[in-house]
Amino acid sequence: IFLDRIIPELKKNGNFVLIFSHFIENLNLLEEYCRKQKYRFEVIKNYLSEEEKSKIESKLFGTNYIDICLILISDDLSYL
């Protein structure tokens, strides 16, 4: 899998991966993959409350952001 090759290299250099999808189902699969690989990640979904989004933003732009290697984002509206 492509992510297995690129994530360790990017993480080693202090970078992270941003994955955007219109489909929450895709992000759910990626979340499972990240857990199995023990990658630190954050998920931003459009139905999160403003407070939840604010907490995630604080993590991403705070002092510990370097520990996060993947950020998964969705704007899926299919749940409506």
Side-chain angles (χ1 to χ4, degrees):
I1 196 166
F2 177 71
L3 292 175
D4 287 335
R5 290 192 317 245
I6 194 164
I7 290 174
E9 189 67 29
L10 290 170
K11 189 176 177 185
K12 181 175 73 175
N13 294 328
N15 297 304
F16 60 87
V17 176
L18 174 65
I19 298 176
F20 178 85
S21 176
H22 289 291
F23 305 103
I24 289 177
E25 292 294 321
N26 291 348
L27 292 188
N28 292 341
L29 292 171
L30 285 167
E31 281 184 72
E32 185 177 324
Y33 166 79
C34 290
R35 282 190 189 95
K36 285 182 180 179
Q37 299 294 63
K38 296 185 171 69
Y39 291 137
R40 294 259 337 250
F41 66 96
E42 289 294 334
V43 180
I44 302 172
K45 296 177 180 173
N46 60 330
Y47 58 82
L48 295 175
S49 71
E50 288 303 315
E51 183 179 333
E52 290 171 311
K53 289 178 186 175
S54 180
K55 286 179 185 177
I56 292 171
E57 287 173 8
S58 294
K59 280 189 209 176
L60 295 178
F61 301 111
T63 56
N64 294 326
Y65 80 94
I66 202 79
D67 292 338
I68 298 168
C69 64
L70 283 118
I71 302 170
L72 310 174
I73 301 176
S74 177
D75 69 347
D76 183 7
L77 300 177
S78 64
Y79 70 94
L80 293 175

